[in-house]
Amino acid sequence: MDEMEEELKCPVCGSFFREPIILPCSHNICLACARNILVQTPDAESPQSSRASGSGVSDYDYLDLDKMSLYSEADSGYGSYGGFVSAPTTPCQKSPNGVRVFPPTVPQPAPQQHLLPQPGSLPPIPRNSCITCPQCHRSLILDDRGLRGFPKNRVLEGVVDRYQQSKAAALKCQLCEKSPKEATVMCEQCDVFYCDPCRLRCHPPRGPLAKHRLVPPAQGRISRRTSPRKISTCTEHELENLSMYCVQCKMPVCYQCLEEGKHGTHEVKALGAMWKLHKGQLSQALNDLSDRATEAKEFLVQLRNMVQHIQENGVEFEACLVAQCDALIDALNRRKAQLLARVNKEHEHKLKVVRDQISHCTVKLRQTTGLMEYCLEVIKENDPSGFLQISDALIRRVHMTEGQWGKGTLTPRMTSDFDLTLDSGPLLQTIHQLDFVQMKVPAAPMLQLEECCTQNNSATLSWKQPPLSTIAVDGYILELDDGNMGPFREVYVGTETICTVDGLHFNSTYKSRVKAFNASGVGQYSKTLIMQTSEIAWFTFDAASAHPDIVLSNDNLTVSCISYDDRVVLGNSAFSRGVHYWEITVDRYDNHPDPAFGIARGDVLKDVMLGKDDKAWAMYVDNNRSWFMHNNSHTNRTDGGIGKGATIGILLDFTRGIVIFLINDEQQGPVAFEALEGAFYPAISLNRNVQITLHTGLPIPDFYTPGEADPNGSVC
């Protein structure tokens, strides 16, 4: 409750609010203090359209009012503290809260006559009076109603009253017969205050009494004295009760306001419904802010522990340094004092940084806790209209305060470790060059998961050093396993903190890790990251390795040739595991050529038909029939050729070590080749009479299921 006290004090007088009013900017001020800071504007310069008050401005538009008011910050009336420029000789006063207050320029009664006026006894307000908010320094010209046009903050007034009551003398037990003892609990159901002996004797925690709720006496007093819901009246029509809420103006209104006033065309909702809605929004915002406050408390404990660790480590480090210096020859004694000064300076710097951060977080947490307690007290209010008058401002403040505990706020600015070690090995002639050197290996790098990804059969990994680490790093070592739960192997060594590894197996799970190294050695591994490559292969033809006569287009998916001789082109991805299927469509087919389709090693001959050497396994086909060919051996002549629009399918299954060819979705001949092992690239050969287009990322054909080949060579 003590942290909330700042929320309950007037920014002008520094005392608890007394008859607070709500300014259009949502800030509060005592009614008497508002009168004290009024300033009368010259009639000749009074704006014609800037008459406004708390009830006349629904959504305070600072830009418009500043343009209309001669006393805005932009055009001369008020400076950054709300001072009246036209009266420079007027002495400036300062409130207990540090807010500058300028007395009014018109004659006023003595301060003791109006600082605490009774309700309804305010003297008349001079014409063209202007008031400036002491917190945001926004100015406003009052209308004929003066300060009575601003709504009273009954919710704040009730919270102040309850808070002051809770600070009164301790409550006494109501059941003690002689010399009542101080009450320790209150039963909400029985509405009785008990001391501990009377509670055990008269209110045992069993039977029906076990379900009663016992609360601390201060909380019981507040709940007991909570005032019943008051019926609020309209400031425009004093005889009418506030019954609706204008959504556009964000204020409670009465029935007559809807019938005759400017709210007739606005969207309105039931007062009770909006009351519950805004209470729910404030409660939700408080839950989020409460989580931040809890984190802040834990963070402060961490910082205080860090202070102790820094002190302990500092003492230990100093003792080690003294022992090393004392072991050296007399020539080192002069250097020892300089090194001790370095350590002390580092020690004090760390302490200063951490203590400054503790002080900053303590102040911010106190403000946050005060705002939370104030909001909780506001939520307890039963006055819908009064609550809705301040709920929007409170919700904004809660969100703003929650945002101040953003990323980085709860992170220590300094580490408690001293990352310096004295090297006592230099020779005597290098004493004057003696200095601290880093003798620790780097900390384990942190993988940046948001930047790590896989694409097709490539994996990109990114990492960084821990934010508080000051140890030098010479480079990094990235390791991956084989995608089959095998041992790790190095795939990159260098200074970069991002690396892309190509040529991985499709549909495989890889584990990766990284470690840093410097002159002192190799650090610990990072956490292991598991990455999954694409289940289905997507690839194109490889322009870099293709024969010069090959012409690629359509993002390297369409192939033609400028030579009458057969030329070879490979895909840009190699396969060595899994089951893969791709298709090739014939876009142009002239003069009955015989293109070849299949797989090949990376060093296959590029200037002969695919299958002529021992590096390729292919099916070549004309318009009537096809053959399988490997190492210039022709086998399995099969009827059925191709033409323009035909589709050739290639199915490569490493689980069985076979390759199968299809033409127009029908298997062409038996299993073409068996006992295939190693890495193979998709490959074709063609001449200038043929143009084809590649299609990848295709599922395995429905007819194919893993199994044994039957005696006739077809797939089961």
Side-chain angles (χ1 to χ4, degrees), residues 331-332 335 423-435:
L332 292 177
R335 187 65 174 169
D423 182 9
S424 59
L427 298 175
L428 182 61
Q429 60 267 28
T430 62
I431 288 178
H432 293 290
Q433 300 177 354
L434 185 64
D435 202 348

Side-chain angles (χ1 to χ4, degrees), residues 320-346:
C320 179
L321 179 61
V322 171
Q324 288 178 330
C325 290
D326 289 343
L328 299 176
I329 59 178
D330 295 340
L332 292 177
N333 289 330
R334 295 185 299 271
R335 187 65 174 169
K336 179 177 66 174
Q338 299 176 9
L339 295 176
L340 278 173
R342 288 269 314 269
V343 173
N344 288 329
K345 183 178 179 180
E346 181 72 8

Side-chain angles (χ1 to χ4, degrees), residues 269-289:
K269 292 187 177 181
L271 193 65
M274 293 302 296
W275 176 37
K276 294 180 180 179
L277 175 63
H278 281 231
K279 274 199 172 184
Q281 293 175 351
L282 181 57
S283 298
Q284 181 60 43
L286 280 177
N287 289 337
D288 298 337
L289 184 58

Side-chain angles (χ1 to χ4, degrees), residues 202-267:
C202 304
H203 199 290
R206 59 179 180 270
L209 297 178
K211 299 181 180 180
H212 287 198
R213 184 168 180 260
L214 302 179
V215 298
Q219 182 178 344
R221 168 188 281 164
I222 293 175
S223 61
R224 170 184 281 188
R225 298 191 179 183
T226 299
S227 58
R229 182 186 301 182
K230 300 177 181 178
I231 300 178
S232 305
T233 58
C234 179
T235 56
E236 295 281 349
H237 313 97
E238 297 181 356
L239 299 180
E240 294 291 338
N241 294 334
L242 296 174
S243 57
M244 301 297 290
Y245 181 80
C246 179
V247 178
Q248 180 174 339
C249 300
K250 296 183 179 179
M251 62 181 297
V253 295
C254 68
Y255 176 78
Q256 194 170 348
C257 289
L258 301 180
E259 292 294 327
E260 303 173 0
K262 64 178 182 179
H263 306 281
T265 59
H266 295 177
E267 179 186 0

Side-chain angles (χ1 to χ4, degrees), residues 146 151 196 211 255 302 305 313 433 480 490 511 624 697:
D196 286 335
K211 299 181 180 180
Y255 176 78
Q302 178 184 353
N305 292 336
N313 293 341
Q433 300 177 354
L480 267 73
E490 294 183 2
K511 294 188 294 183
N624 291 318

Side-chain angles (χ1 to χ4, degrees), residues 675-705:
L676 298 174
E677 294 181 352
F680 298 91
Y681 290 87
I684 66 166
S685 66
L686 73 171
N687 60 22
R688 66 181 301 163
N689 293 314
V690 182
Q691 176 177 304
I692 61 93
T693 296
L694 175 67
H695 304 277
T696 64
L698 304 177
I700 306 301
D702 295 336
F703 80 90
Y704 182 79
T705 55

Side-chain angles (χ1 to χ4, degrees), residues 339-400:
L339 295 176
L340 278 173
R342 288 269 314 269
V343 173
N344 288 329
K345 183 178 179 180
E346 181 72 8
H347 180 197
E348 294 301 324
H349 173 66
K350 288 179 178 288
L351 289 177
K352 183 179 183 302
V353 172
V354 176
R355 284 169 176 164
D356 289 346
Q357 192 172 10
I358 289 176
S359 176
H360 176 73
C361 288
T362 301
V363 173
K364 186 179 293 186
L365 179 60
R366 180 181 180 85
Q367 294 172 349
T368 299
T369 306
L371 178 59
M372 290 171 54
E373 293 181 357
Y374 171 57
C375 292
L376 290 174
E377 292 298 324
V378 169
I379 289 178
K380 296 177 182 178
E381 270 300 314
N382 295 324
D383 181 1
S385 60
F387 179 85
L388 292 174
Q389 287 173 333
I390 63 173
S391 58
D392 283 325
L394 285 180
I395 292 172
R396 287 195 300 270
R397 286 188 60 193
V398 169
H399 283 304
M400 183 182 302

Side-chain angles (χ1 to χ4, degrees), residues 18-30:
R18 184 179 177 87
E19 296 185 81
I21 59 174
I22 306 174
L23 299 180
C25 55
S26 298
H27 292 131
N28 300 282
I29 188 173
C30 294

